Every structure is written in C-alpha cells, then in structure tokens.
Amino acid sequence: MTYKICLLPGDGIGPEVIASAKDVLSALPIHWDFIECGIGFGEYQRSNSPLPDSTLQAIRHASAALFGAVTTPPNLPNYFSPVVRMRQSLDLYANLRPCKSIPHESSKANIDLLIVRENTEGLYSGIERIEDNGDKAITERVVTRKGSERIIRKAFDLAQQTKRKTVHVVHKANVLRQTCGLFRAVALEIAKEYPAIQMIEMLVDTCAMELIRAPEQFEVIVTTNLFGDILSDEACMFVGGLGVAASGNIGANVAVFEPVHGSAPPLVGTGKANPIATFLAASMMLDYLNEAESATRLRRAVSACIAAKESTPDLGGNLSTSEVTKKVIERINY
Ligand code: NAI
Ligand code: MG
C-alpha cells in the first residue's frame, strides 16, 4: 500500500518543519508518495491566489494532507485566510486537538485530553452585517442538527476507539437557548447510542475554570466552534505549548493535519523552529491512516527525545530543527 500525501509547506517556518516531517515519515516502514502544493502568502505572490483550486483538488485526491503554516498579511484588500477557506471548501468539520502530558517540567502530569471542536459553523459561519449606518454590527451564530450530529458522533466514536469513559459536552444553553439548546438536545440523543460512555454536560465558563483547576478530569470535550477555539488554546498550555501542539481537520473523506503554531517569521532560518508539533501532527495522520503501530513508534521517539532534552530552545534544549529531526529518526530506528 502506498499513501499519497499532499504536503502544504506554506510560509515562514512552515517549509522547515514540513521538510523535517517528510524525513521522519520516510524513516518509517511505509511507502509514501509525497506531492507538494502551494498555499499562503508566497503562493499568492506567485499565482495571485493564497489557495489555488489545484491545491484543493490535490488535497481531495490524496490519502491525507500535512500542512505547515501560513503568514496572513494584515490590511491587504481582497486577501483571504487560506486556512479558514480550506476548512470550509473541503468541509473539514471536525477539528481535533489532543492535549497529552509530555515528559518536561513545563507540562502538567496525567493529562490525556482530546478536544473535538466543530469547525464549520457556530459563530464562524461568516454571516455578518452592519446596520444603523455603522452603529450596529451583527454576527449570526448558526447551529444545525446535521452539523451537531456529526461532530458529537465523531467525539463519541473517538472516545470509544480510544477506550475513554467520558465525553464532556460543553455549551452555554442556559443563555444561548436556541443554538446551544439544539446542540445540547442532539448530544443527549446521540449519547444514548453509546451506553458505555458517560456524557457530562458543562457550561463553557465552568469548563474554562475547571481546565485550569483540574485538567486531568477531562478525557474528551466536544463543543461548538468559538468555544472550542478558545478552550483548545487554553488547554495546550498545560502540556508544553505551541512547540508541541498538533491538530487535525477531518472531513468525510478528506483530512488535513497541522501544527497549531503559525509561521513564526522571526525564527525563519535560525534553526530554532521546533519540528515536534509537526511530528505529532504526522502521528495523528498515521492514526487516521490506520497505521497505529507507526504512530506509536513516532510518538515514543518524540517523547524519548523530549525526556532526554534533545530539543530546540523553546523546550530548554540547544539543538537545531535538523538536529532534533536526526535524533527523532535515530530513536525511530532503535
Ligand atoms: P506564531 O505561532 O507564528 O508565533 C507565536 C510565538 O510562538 C512566537 O514567539 C514564535 O516564535 C513561537 N513559535 C511558533 N512556532 C514555533 C515553533 N515551531 N518552535 C518554536 N517556537 C515557535 O504566531 P504569530 O506570531 O501570532 O503569527 C505569525 C504569523 O503566523 C501571522 O502571519 C499569523 O497570521 C500566522 N498564523 C498562522 C497560523 C496557521 O497557519 N495555522 C496560525 C497562527 C498564526
Ligand atoms: Mg486558534
């Protein structure tokens, strides 16, 4: 079996971390057919579009895609964020953010949480308007039964597959009675299909507080778009921060995996970009491709490097991007 992987290096440190991930994936006993496609500001300067149709087509036809990061210039008229556009165009409805303890002093212990964020609707539906001559701004929050069903089912399925016992359904139905009310009602229905998993409801403000107080209580959190955006950034700080935070965007037959960080312009060419977030995104991609053994092998190699302080400066080490990559490959080959 050969997997066709669409690599999307993007801008800034994106090409550096994607090149490292390509080397690490190539060290595993799997056949890869890598194709590279353009995305981001550099691509816009070349082709006049930050997300050409040819890139979207290539992602659709690949087994999966691995994305680095893009630079989004502020104040450029007619420019659009290719990240948001890609998620919408490919209907990547589930944003998965695992938060797992790493063997490092900046990480809390005993955390193994998966945040499942709805990625296509909610407050990010893009329906906005101005009224009263500019004195009133309105954003519509759209929650549908279909959108809620598929994200909540994804959360329960993932809980079942990973042998977790609880799913926290996070909402604010006491105030947002219609939108969160529908999300909650759908969750209560779907939970009945999974008798082995306990559904726990939590209001989003309580959840933000509980994440700080006792993050280890959570196994899976499922929630709407904006709440998930905020809670997942909050949660990744307990487990090493941006240098190690990975995510996946999953649709019906398409998936794009990426580090959470951006293009970090000041780090370009310094060798200080931590490639580990991208390696962990690659390990999520391996899980998605049902290559669980290789996924585990990669995660173990990464953990061993972190524990041995074989890391870039953000994790207190003194190795460069390519040196960390070499160390991870050595440990894969042990
Ligand atoms: P950023 O994530 O690029 O950087 C934030 C901080 O984290 C900086 O101090 C940076 O040096 C550090 N950092 C980021 N990645 C790192 C890595 N791999 N290793 C070590 N340190 C790392 O966010 P910032 O500075 O707000 O944005 C820079 C550009 O990235 C902007 O144009 C922004 O629009 C874009 N961006 C793109 C994202 C994406 O492509 N998904 C996500 C976030 C921002
Ligand atoms: Mg975010």
Side-chain angles (χ1 to χ4, degrees), residues 57-74:
Q57 274 307 94
I59 301 171
R60 280 194 191 96
H61 290 125
S63 313
L66 191 62
F67 166 50
V70 292
T71 299
T72 297

Side-chain angles (χ1 to χ4, degrees), residues 13 67 69-72 242 258 260-265 267 273-274 314:
I13 61 169
F67 166 50
V70 292
T71 299
T72 297
L242 275 184
E258 57 174 314
V260 168
H261 63 72
S263 62
L267 298 187
N274 190 345
D314 58 301

Side-chain angles (χ1 to χ4, degrees), residues 97 117 229-230 232-233 260:
R97 227 17 138 85
R117 161 189 166 196
D229 192 7
I230 297 169
S232 57
D233 273 18
V260 168

Side-chain angles (χ1 to χ4, degrees), residues 170-191:
V170 173
H171 60 72
K172 188 78 183 175
N174 55 335
V175 178
L176 301 169
R177 304 187 75 88
Q178 299 304 330
T179 47
C180 275
L182 177 58
F183 190 78
R184 170 177 185 268
V186 170
L188 287 166
E189 281 166 33
I190 288 182

Side-chain angles (χ1 to χ4, degrees), residues 47-295:
S47 73
N48 225 13
S49 170
L51 182 63
D53 283 340
S54 55
T55 294
L56 285 173
Q57 274 307 94
I59 301 171
R60 280 194 191 96
H61 290 125
S63 313
L66 191 62
F67 166 50
V70 292
T71 299
T72 297
N75 308 324
L76 192 65
N78 300 324
Y79 193 84
F80 59 85
S81 159
V83 181
V84 175
R85 184 70 64 91
M86 174 171 69
R87 290 173 182 169
Q88 282 166 354
S89 303
L90 300 171
D91 200 22
L92 301 171
Y93 67 88
N95 188 286
L96 310 183
R97 227 17 138 85
C99 299
K100 195 171 165 36
S101 300
I102 57 166
H104 189 266
E105 66 266 15
S106 67
S107 171
K108 289 198 183 188
N110 303 321
I111 298 174
D112 188 4
L113 155 67
L114 176 65
I115 299 188
V116 181
R117 161 189 166 196
E118 204 292 320
N119 216 15
T120 54
E121 50 182 43
L123 259 179
Y124 295 172
S125 309
I127 307 172
E128 294 194 296
R129 63 180 182 277
I130 294 288
E131 293 182 0
D132 289 353
N133 292 321
D135 288 341
K136 188 174 183 183
I138 299 168
T139 299
E140 287 188 18
R141 184 170 197 258
V142 179
V143 172
T144 65
R145 177 173 292 278
K146 178 186 163 219
S148 304
E149 270 176 13
R150 63 184 184 175
I151 195 69
I152 292 162
R153 190 162 278 123
K154 172 67 81 185
F156 277 87
D157 281 344
L158 288 167
Q160 198 167 46
Q161 282 162 29
T162 54
K163 301 190 170 52
R164 286 163 159 114
K165 303 250 174 316
T166 59
V167 170
H168 279 77
V169 174
V170 173
H171 60 72
K172 188 78 183 175
N174 55 335
V175 178
L176 301 169
R177 304 187 75 88
Q178 299 304 330
T179 47
C180 275
L182 177 58
F183 190 78
R184 170 177 185 268
V186 170
L188 287 166
E189 281 166 33
I190 288 182
K192 289 187 199 142
E193 298 170 23
Y194 299 84
I197 297 169
Q198 186 192 358
M199 169 180 152
I200 303 170
E201 283 185 66
M202 196 175 268
L203 296 176
V204 64
D205 42 354
T206 307
C207 182
M209 184 182 73
E210 284 295 315
L211 267 174
I212 305 256
R213 191 185 66 80
E216 63 287 344
Q217 73 185 288
F218 296 98
E219 294 183 294
V220 174
I221 289 176
V222 62
T223 189
T224 47
N225 206 337
L226 171 70
F227 296 164
D229 192 7
I230 297 169
L231 294 177
S232 57
D233 273 18
E234 181 189 349
C236 89
M237 292 317 293
F238 306 131
V239 288
L242 275 184
V244 297
S247 72
N249 302 277
I250 318 285
N253 284 303
V254 192
V256 179
F257 298 86
E258 57 174 314
V260 168
H261 63 72
S263 62
L267 298 187
V268 174
T270 63
K272 288 185 180 158
N274 190 345
I276 283 178
T278 313
F279 297 164
L280 293 175
S283 81
M284 292 177 75
M285 183 176 83
L286 288 162
D287 275 329
Y288 171 82
L289 297 171
N290 288 318
E291 295 288 349
E293 219 177 284
S294 286

